[in-house]
Amino acid sequence: MIFSPVSYAAPTLYVFSDKLPLFVKCLIMINPLTYQLKAIRTVAFGFFEPLPILVDLLLTLGMMYLAQRILQKISLQLSVR
């Protein structure tokens, strides 16, 4: 449920234009998949850029930390029948 909308907010099969709404541009900027794709494309075209990988790593770690903090605040209960 979460991964599918996130994958649509990354330039996987198409290129985003400058005419997008600000909300969509913000989603693109915080989506780690965008930077993973950029890193893969730079390597595929024959040159390596470490910046997209670094940005992706930082965003992924930040989102993992945020998810951990949110899950700590939720009281999870197992229901066994």
Side-chain angles (χ1 to χ4, degrees):
M1 283 180 15
I2 294 172
F3 182 72
S4 184
V6 168
S7 65
Y8 291 123
T12 52
L13 301 174
Y14 46 87
V15 177
F16 289 115
S17 69
D18 293 333
K19 298 178 183 179
L20 290 174
L22 182 61
F23 175 71
V24 177
K25 288 181 183 181
C26 291
L27 283 177
I28 294 168
M29 295 300 289
I30 63 169
N31 188 354
L33 188 57
T34 301
Y35 300 99
Q36 290 172 358
L37 289 169
K38 186 173 181 179
I40 290 170
R41 287 177 180 155
T42 58
V43 170
F45 291 129
F47 56 93
F48 177 72
E49 284 186 42
L51 184 62
I53 295 174
L54 180 64
V55 171
D56 176 51
L57 180 65
L58 292 175
L59 280 173
T60 302
L61 290 175
M63 289 186 181
M64 287 174 62
Y65 176 76
L66 181 65
Q68 179 186 11
R69 298 293 295 179
I70 290 171
L71 288 175
Q72 284 178 347
K73 294 182 185 278
I74 298 173
S75 63
L76 298 175
Q77 299 176 358
L78 291 176
S79 60
V80 180
R81 296 179 186 236

